[in-house]
Amino acid sequence: MNKPWYKQFWPWFLIALPGSVVVASLFTFTLFSKNQVSLVAEDYYKEGKGINQDLSRLRQADALSLSARLTLSDDNAIVILDKGELAQFPTIKVTFQHRTLADKDIEKMVNSDQNGRYRLALVEPLQGPWYVEINAFDGSWALNGRANFPSSDPVKLYGQSKE
C-alpha cells in the first residue's frame, strides 16, 4: 500500500521550495550583471583633480565673455555661440552626458556655419536630464549647463558665472 518516496507529493514539494530560490537567484544575478549602473567612478581621485581644471576653463570662458544657447529638435541640436572676445568661431567639442545612462552619452566635434551656428545630428531625440558641456577644440575654455529635454526654451550655457 505504501508508495515509494518519489511518487509522493510532499518530498517533491519540499525539494521545489529551495530549488525555486536557486532559480530565482540565478535569474537575478544574470539580470543585474547585464544591466550594470555606472554611478560610481572607478578613479574618483583623478576625477576630483579634474574638477579644478574644469573650473579654470570655466573662468577662462568668463574672461573671454563667452556664452551659448542650445536648442533641440527631434533630430538636430543647434548651438548658437556668443563668441565674446574670440576673433572667429572656433571648432568646438559638444558633450551630452546623461545622469545615469553612460551608454547614451554623446561627444562630437563640430564646426560652425557662416552664421556661427553649430549643428549636430542626433540619432534619437534626447529625453530626461542631461549635463551639456561645450569645450574649445584645444581645451582652453569651457561652457556648461544642465537641462531637461524635451524643452521648448533654449538652454543657456555659461562659464563659472551663471547669469
Side-chain angles (χ1 to χ4, degrees):
M1 278 270 198
N2 286 340
K3 295 180 187 176
W5 71 269
Y6 55 86
K7 289 187 176 181
Q8 295 183 18
F9 169 75
W10 289 109
W12 290 111
F13 178 74
L14 294 174
I15 291 171
L17 287 176
S20 65
V21 171
V22 169
V23 170
S25 64
L26 290 174
F27 173 75
T28 304
F29 177 75
T30 56
L31 181 71
F32 285 125
S33 65
K34 289 181 181 178
N35 301 313
Q36 295 179 5
V37 177
S38 60
L39 293 178
V40 179
E42 292 283 329
D43 193 355
Y44 59 90
Y45 179 73
K46 279 187 181 176
E47 285 193 20
K49 286 175 62 178
I51 290 172
N52 290 336
Q53 286 182 328
D54 286 347
L55 292 178
S56 66
R57 294 184 307 134
L58 295 173
R59 286 187 206 109
Q60 181 63 27
D62 287 341
L64 293 170
S65 303
L66 299 175
S67 66
R69 290 187 320 269
L70 170 70
T71 56
L72 286 182
S73 64
D74 287 338
D75 57 351
N76 279 325
I78 300 171
V79 176
I80 302 170
L81 180 68
D82 178 8
K83 65 179 181 163
E85 297 176 14
L86 295 175
Q88 60 187 10
F89 289 102
T91 300
I92 61 173
K93 179 172 68 172
V94 180
T95 305
F96 293 94
Q97 292 178 337
H98 194 274
R99 197 175 284 173
T100 57
L101 304 173
D103 59 330
K104 293 198 176 246
D105 292 353
I106 301 169
E107 183 174 291
K108 292 188 179 182
M109 295 290 277
V110 187
N111 289 316
S112 70
D113 61 10
Q114 294 174 342
N115 299 324
R117 294 176 185 234
Y118 299 85
R119 296 181 191 275
L120 285 89
L122 300 174
V123 177
E124 62 185 47
L126 300 179
Q127 300 284 330
W130 291 83
Y131 172 76
V132 182
E133 186 174 70
I134 296 175
N135 291 296
F137 70 95
D138 61 357
S140 59
W141 54 265
L143 302 171
N144 65 19
R146 296 192 184 279
N148 276 321
F149 296 117
S151 173
S152 58
D153 298 330
V155 177
K156 295 182 174 96
L157 306 171
Y158 297 102
Q160 191 171 7
S161 65
K162 307 284 185 208
E163 294 177 8

